[in-house]
Amino acid sequence: MDQLIFKFPFAKKYYDDGADEIIYHDVVASLYDQSSIFDLIEKTARNIFVPLTVSGGIRSITDIKKILSCGADKVAINSQAIKNKNFINQSAEIFGSSTIVISIETMEVEDDYYVFYEYGRVNSGIKLRSEEHTSEL
């Protein structure tokens, strides 16, 4: 990760260019059931001064605490929101709703849009435009 920050300072460049928020998606965190982005979050938070949102591999309240303690302002949750229907409510009660972002992954399948998770690898079976599945979320 250190090489990424110093050789490819994208977050700093976008901050300098006027971006009003930076979002990091740790796209392999859920695949490998771990996150390796903590050092990157800390270094970014020390060098940019816009909201920083982090997603990927967030499975517990402890994960959220760790990400926020590294300097992130918000977390975006997808997979765990689908797997645990109460996770969003629990997280918002502890950290406040302005800290919790929902990331909805969607893909067209047979002329309808479905909600996916695990970075688009798993179809939840929930139709994006369907009222009948609202209670499942």
Side-chain angles (χ1 to χ4, degrees):
M1 288 293 175
D2 286 337
Q3 291 176 333
L4 207 93
I5 293 167
F6 296 112
K7 290 185 180 177
F8 306 103
F10 291 112
K12 180 76 166 94
K13 181 208 179 311
Y14 295 139
Y15 168 70
D16 290 342
D17 286 349
D20 71 345
E21 184 164 357
I22 302 293
I23 302 172
Y24 281 136
H25 296 281
D26 189 347
V27 297
V28 296
S30 61
L31 179 63
Y32 295 110
D33 202 28
Q34 63 184 10
S35 182
S36 60
I37 199 168
F38 303 115
D39 193 43
L40 179 63
I41 297 166
E42 288 177 346
K43 289 180 180 175
T44 301
R46 282 196 305 262
N47 293 296
I48 64 166
F49 305 99
V50 294
L52 176 61
T53 301
V54 176
S55 70
I58 300 169
R59 293 172 293 283
S60 68
I61 298 300
T62 302
D63 291 339
I64 296 172
K65 284 179 185 174
K66 185 166 185 177
I67 290 167
L68 295 176
S69 72
C70 288
D73 299 288
K74 298 184 255 182
V75 295
I77 301 165
N78 172 264
S79 299
Q80 194 62 15
I82 293 169
K83 293 177 182 179
N84 177 349
K85 295 176 188 177
N86 295 316
F87 189 66
I88 299 304
N89 283 335
Q90 293 167 345
S91 301
E93 285 178 15
I94 294 168
F95 302 104
S97 60
S98 64
T99 303
I100 307 301
V101 176
I102 301 304
S103 173
I104 300 173
E105 299 168 15
T106 185
M107 193 179 311
E108 186 175 11
V109 178
E110 298 177 3
D111 297 324
D112 215 335
Y113 286 89
Y114 287 83
V115 175
F116 280 71
Y117 61 101
E118 301 293 344
Y119 278 96
R121 294 186 305 271
V122 180
N123 185 342
S124 69
I126 300 169
K127 290 183 181 180
L128 186 64
R129 297 183 280 194
S130 175
E131 298 271 334
E132 68 187 78
H133 290 293
T134 307
S135 64
E136 293 179 27
L137 297 174

